[in-house]
Amino acid sequence: MRLLITGGAGFIGANFVQRTVAEYPDIRVVVLDALTYAGNRASLDSIADRIEFVRGDIADAELVDRLVGGVDAVVHFAAETHNDNSLARPWPFVQTNIVGTYTLLEAVRRHDVRFHHISTDEVYGDLGADDPAFSESTPYNPSSPYSAAKASSDMLVRAWVRSFGVRATISNCSNNYGPYQHVEKFIPRQITNLIDGVRPRLYGAGNQIRDWIHVEDHNRAVWTILESGRIGQTYLIGANGELDNKSVVEHILVEFGRDPGDFDHVTDRPGHDRRYAIDATLLRTELGWEPRYRDFRAGLAVTIAWYRAHETWWRPGKAAVENAYAEAGERVL
Ligand code: NAD
Ligand code: DAU
């Protein structure tokens, strides 16, 4: 089997490529990644001789057609992914997440190649405290330019399945944590701030809730869907990991041996989604998937240890991220 993985130098994609190479040694892996600020070739260093790496844009129709024509399946992770960036500069989100996905869909349609589309729970908008968790039948209601662009890409995939018979599945997952996550994101930002002696930064009151899942559990679910999922079906991926942001920061501080109140409240994100929660019943009952990381604090401790041990991986991007937050107007409340 030959597999094209887009966005394989990003956080979830790099973990997926590493897992694939380790567990499916007969698969020929091709990675297509533009190496934007979020992509890091070093995440694939340990397996560089086991994969073919192509630096390029998923919206480059000629390149995409050639690569898709040489594989049996595509797993599509590549995207612009950070909500704060989408508020500051929405265009790359429209271009990559919508036009890029369209370009891939046209290529898999031409070559009749199996396609798995990686998406997010944010397409469903947010929940009130007592609302039931998102399920596959929850109506789309995205809030930010990022989530609207991801929702658009999901709609394209559904249309290409129905109109053109493309053999595609979709998964919408909750917030991931683990190794190789960019330092702009919530958990790595706080961990690397603490390594640098800087207090963690909590948006607003910090009572927003995210449903945390370890990246390895997400990627095992993706493999399960790729192998056994029904064509045309959407599967939600989540591990019952609901936690408010303030509690996450407190857990990180405790892991560092610090006072759990030792953080700053900073300017809130405009339009900040209050709560995400996933009901993964379909994935569990139909495909038999179960998460292995059930203890968030244990997973967090391993993640902190990873960032402590891999400063050379994250250090080059750290100052630029903090400058960008400052330039966007973030200030201590
Ligand atoms: P990331 O930002 O860490 O990585 C994205 C990767 O895509 C980078 O390597 C980047 O270079 C590449 N890329 C960006 N634009 C490209 C383009 N035009 N052409 C080719 N490559 C391009 O992202 P991530 O957090 O690993 O997310 C991966 C996927 O998972 C995304 O589709 C995202 O929407 C989805 N997702 C993420 C989470 C999460 O918690 N991080 C949760 C659910 C779903
Ligand atoms: O739900 C899945 C989504 O999770 C993915 O689709 C996105 O690609 C991914 O970035 C993530 O989106 P969030 O906006 O939830 O993640 P982020 O890491 O940016 O923020 C998590 C929460 O923490 C959110 O409520 C904002 C808050 N936050 C974030 C940062 C960077 C802070 O309080 N302080 C911070 O410094």
Side-chain angles (χ1 to χ4, degrees):
M1 185 191 184
R2 297 156 305 167
L3 191 60
L4 177 64
I5 301 171
T6 74
F11 163 43
I12 306 173
N15 280 284
F16 186 85
V17 173
Q18 291 194 18
R19 175 185 167 77
T20 300
V21 166
E23 296 192 6
Y24 302 84
D26 295 336
I27 292 183
R28 214 195 87 208
V29 172
V30 182
V31 171
L32 172 61
D33 195 295
L35 294 181
T36 67
Y37 81 92
N40 191 339
R41 187 77 197 263
S43 306
L44 302 172
D45 273 355
S46 63
I47 49 163
D49 56 346
R50 311 254 325 257
I51 61 171
E52 182 187 339
F53 184 87
V54 179
R55 182 173 189 176
D57 192 327
I58 55 166
D60 178 341
E62 214 174 292
L63 173 65
V64 164
D65 186 74
R66 180 165 59 76
L67 294 177
V68 169
V71 297
D72 304 296
V74 176
V75 183
H76 173 35
F77 291 93
E80 288 289 342
T81 63
H82 195 38
N83 276 297
D84 294 320
N85 294 344
S86 84
L87 296 165
R89 216 172 136 245
W91 170 247
F93 290 75
V94 173
Q95 169 64 19
T96 287
N97 300 0
I98 305 177
V99 180
T101 301
Y102 159 81
T103 307
L104 285 158
L105 283 168
E106 282 293 80
V108 294
R109 173 188 171 197
R110 264 192 303 276
H111 295 284
D112 187 23
V113 165
R114 171 86 169 86
F115 187 71
H116 181 70
H117 179 62
I118 306 291
S119 194
T120 168
D121 58 358
E122 294 192 19
V123 299
Y124 300 112
D126 62 356
L127 297 165
D130 300 324
D131 290 337
F134 302 133
S135 74
E136 285 75 9
S137 56
T138 303
Y140 275 39
N141 186 26
S143 314
S144 71
Y146 162 65
S147 51
K150 290 297 290 188
S152 307
S153 68
D154 293 10
M155 294 301 176
L156 292 177
V157 177
R158 290 179 182 199
W160 261 242
V161 170
R162 175 146 178 179
S163 303
F164 304 124
V166 161
R167 292 179 293 126
T169 40
I170 300 175
S171 54
N172 296 77
C173 188
S174 59
N175 284 63
N176 285 219
Y177 72 99
Y180 299 104
Q181 186 167 30
H182 196 275
V183 292
E184 71 188 351
K185 301 297 198 300
F186 180 44
I187 289 178
R189 186 183 186 202
Q190 315 314 333
I191 294 171
T192 53
N193 273 357
L194 280 165
I195 291 173
D196 280 349
V198 174
R199 286 158 68 93
R201 310 203 121 199
L202 196 57
Y203 291 176
N207 51 14
Q208 294 80 13
I209 293 171
R210 297 294 181 262
D211 189 352
W212 294 98
I213 181 171
H214 194 279
V215 63
E216 285 177 22
D217 282 330
H218 180 182
N219 284 336
R220 280 193 311 102
V222 171
W223 258 111
T224 302
I225 297 165
L226 195 60
E227 289 176 321
S228 324
R230 270 180 290 137
I231 296 303
Q233 183 62 46
T234 287
Y235 295 90
L236 264 55
I237 306 174
N240 296 337
E242 277 192 74
L243 207 57
D244 64 84
N245 293 342
K246 184 162 164 286
S247 299
V248 173
V249 163
E250 288 167 351
H251 287 330
I252 296 172
L253 280 158
V254 169
E255 287 297 332
F256 272 82
R258 297 272 296 266
D259 183 318
D262 207 3
F263 59 83
D264 289 326
H265 291 278
V266 297
T267 338
D268 207 352
R269 174 184 283 172
H272 200 167
D273 279 343
R274 291 161 298 175
R275 174 180 168 232
Y276 306 141
I278 289 271
D279 176 352
T281 302
L282 182 68
L283 180 67
R284 288 167 187 255
T285 54
E286 185 182 301
L287 302 184
W289 171 89
E290 288 293 335
R292 288 186 183 154
Y293 285 80
R294 292 166 189 276
D295 179 346
F296 176 73
R297 289 185 70 165
L300 189 61
V302 176
T303 304
I304 291 170
W306 188 89
Y307 280 90
R308 283 190 192 278
H310 292 82
E311 184 166 344
T312 51
W313 180 87
W314 58 263
R315 175 62 68 194
K318 179 68 179 167
V321 163
E322 292 306 319
N323 288 340
Y325 278 122
E327 277 168 24
E330 181 179 283
R331 58 185 175 76
V332 175
L333 298 174

